[in-house]
Amino acid sequence: VKTCLNSISLRLQQNLGYFSALFLLGLMVASLGPTLPALAEQTGSPLRSISLLFIARSMGFVVGSLWVGGLYDRVRVHLFMCGGLLLMGGMIVVTPWAEHLVVLMGIFFLQGMTGSIVNVGGNTLVVWANQGRVGPLINGLHFIWGVGASLSPILMTWTIIQSGGIRLGYSLLALLVLPIAFWLVRLQGPAHTRSAVRVSEEEGPSSLPILIGLFLFLYTGVESSMGNWIFTYGSRAAGLSPTDASYLKSIYWGNLTVGRLAFIPLTVRLRPRVILLSALGGAPASATVSQRNPWTSLPSSSRSVPIDNGGGTVRTKRPKASADIDQTSSAIEQPPSATRTSPGRAGDVPGNAYRR
């Protein structure tokens, strides 16, 4: 009995560590949106160029994921995952200090690689630790990731308001790495469980894995693009204050998180095909509704678009709904002020803009 209780206690501690690591990963991934204008100003880059950060981090995730899985079969898993957490924290804390776009792209590429260590490790080790009984746990793991992504925009915007820059927010994210790494490194890693299932050679190749990969490729692209740009769209094209734009981004990630939680019981009763077709039908329908009714819940007089003319910010009246699409591109791509921040203030942005 004592051995059984010790085993359960160890498993609970391991799961807590994996869930905490994925929560931190969600915080890190969603932190870029609210800080994107500041990073553009910090590097003297227009937003069309600073968007390369999204590509750099995604490429880091792809490259890292290709080799990380094999390494977990050969190394001390908790030590390896803690190393990834600490390296990810290091890349987070140096982000607001990089004054050149190429350097910042390298940092975000490494953020993606180290983040893949955490992501692959969390999803893999929760399976090993629970001996395959992981249906609800995998959903819960993705749910807690979404909680972190939902809270991140609010946290980052609050720190910008309090400090007038982005350094405090990134520093707090980096500090959160330490207790999680300490928690995991002291625990025994789970044993590697190998499946006894073998695919018959007579079945031949199947197109299903290719279709699933293509679907996930498109889905992840849409999800991350929306999540990364919705803050900038809300603040620049729709005239929302940075605080309101951070709430908008939190609502986006929050709805994804609630949706994942709500679909857990449906996966027991419905076939995957039915769930996927329903979701794929609902996505374009909601996009059509949003396109035909952009921001009509508030009077047009209450929204204005900030335009930096090089000598100060001018507030112009929000365009009518029929002209929103034409104004979106120019508003989002409006370059930052031509005056770069001094080296001693890299990463600082006017805090008053976040207090509107």
Side-chain angles (χ1 to χ4, degrees):
V1 175
K2 184 178 180 179
T3 303
C4 182
L5 291 176
N6 290 337
S7 176
I8 294 175
S9 175
L10 175 61
R11 191 182 308 156
L12 289 175
Q13 293 182 66
Q14 291 169 338
N15 289 335
L16 179 59
Y18 308 145
F19 274 62
S20 300
L22 267 291
F23 173 78
L24 177 62
L25 185 64
L27 286 173
M28 186 272 285
V29 168
S31 65
L32 179 55
T35 61
L36 196 65
L39 293 174
E41 183 177 357
Q42 171 180 308
T43 58
S45 306
L47 284 179
R48 67 175 65 188
S49 298
I50 205 70
S51 64
L52 292 173
L53 297 181
F54 300 132
I55 299 175
R57 188 168 66 183
S58 297
M59 288 302 299
F61 267 108
V62 172
V63 173
S65 298
L66 288 175
W67 62 271
V68 163
L71 287 178
Y72 271 106
D73 291 333
R74 301 178 179 90
V75 300
R76 295 176 58 186
V77 291
H78 280 178
L79 187 62
F80 184 47
M81 190 172 183
C82 289
L85 282 167
L86 293 174
L87 289 173
M88 185 177 74
M91 293 303 102
I92 292 172
V93 79
V94 300
T95 296
W97 298 87
E99 297 184 11
H100 301 282
L101 180 58
V102 175
V103 175
L104 199 58
M105 288 176 61
I107 291 173
F108 271 81
F109 179 82
L110 293 176
Q111 271 191 25
M113 288 195 68
T114 54
S116 70
I117 297 176
V118 179
N119 187 36
V120 173
N123 284 275
T124 301
L125 298 183
V126 78
V127 176
W128 294 358
N130 296 276
Q131 302 176 2
R133 301 185 294 270
V134 294
L137 286 174
I138 289 292
N139 283 297
L141 202 64
H142 296 168
F143 172 79
I144 203 67
W145 183 96
V147 172
S150 302
L151 294 177
S152 182
I154 299 175
L155 172 65
M156 296 302 293
T157 301
W158 179 82
T159 57
I160 291 173
I161 292 174
Q162 298 301 315
S163 65
I166 61 176
R167 289 180 181 173
L168 176 61
Y170 278 111
S171 298
L172 290 176
L173 289 184
L175 286 175
L176 290 176
V177 167
L178 299 179
I180 300 174
F182 175 77
W183 179 270
L184 280 174
V185 77
R186 67 184 183 83
L187 296 176
Q188 177 186 350
H192 185 356
T193 57
R194 298 182 181 275
S195 174
V197 178
R198 294 291 183 268
V199 179
S200 173
E201 296 180 357
E202 299 179 356
E203 293 181 2
S206 173
S207 61
L208 183 59
I210 299 176
L211 292 176
I212 293 176
L214 179 60
F215 173 80
L216 292 177
F217 172 80
L218 296 174
Y219 166 77
T220 304
V222 172
E223 178 189 73
S224 61
S225 298
M226 185 73 175
N228 287 329
W229 280 108
I230 192 171
F231 178 91
T232 304
Y233 177 86
S235 60
R236 295 220 173 187
L240 296 175
S241 70
T243 302
D244 290 340
S246 69
Y247 291 148
L248 178 65
K249 183 169 184 175
S250 294
I251 290 172
Y252 169 76
W253 288 115
N255 284 338
L256 279 175
T257 302
V258 172
R260 287 167 177 166
L261 185 65
F263 268 82
I264 291 177
L266 293 180
T267 58
V268 178
R269 296 175 174 84
L270 299 177
R271 298 177 62 186
R273 180 180 301 177
V274 175
I275 296 175
L276 287 176
L277 289 177
S278 301
L280 291 174
S286 62
T288 302
V289 171
S290 300
Q291 187 64 51
R292 292 182 175 274
N293 300 277
W295 312 101
T296 54
S297 60
L298 295 175
S300 60
S301 60
S302 67
R303 295 285 181 240
S304 55
V305 178
I307 298 179
D308 190 345
N309 62 4
T313 301
V314 178
R315 305 295 297 180
T316 60
K317 190 173 182 181
R318 174 189 178 276
K320 296 295 184 181
S322 60
D324 277 349
I325 299 176
D326 297 333
Q327 295 290 332
T328 299
S329 178
S330 61
I332 290 179
E333 294 180 358
Q334 186 68 32
S337 173
T339 304
R340 286 187 59 181
T341 53
S342 61
R345 297 286 290 173
D348 288 350
V349 293
N352 289 336
Y354 282 75
R355 296 187 175 95
R356 288 199 300 271

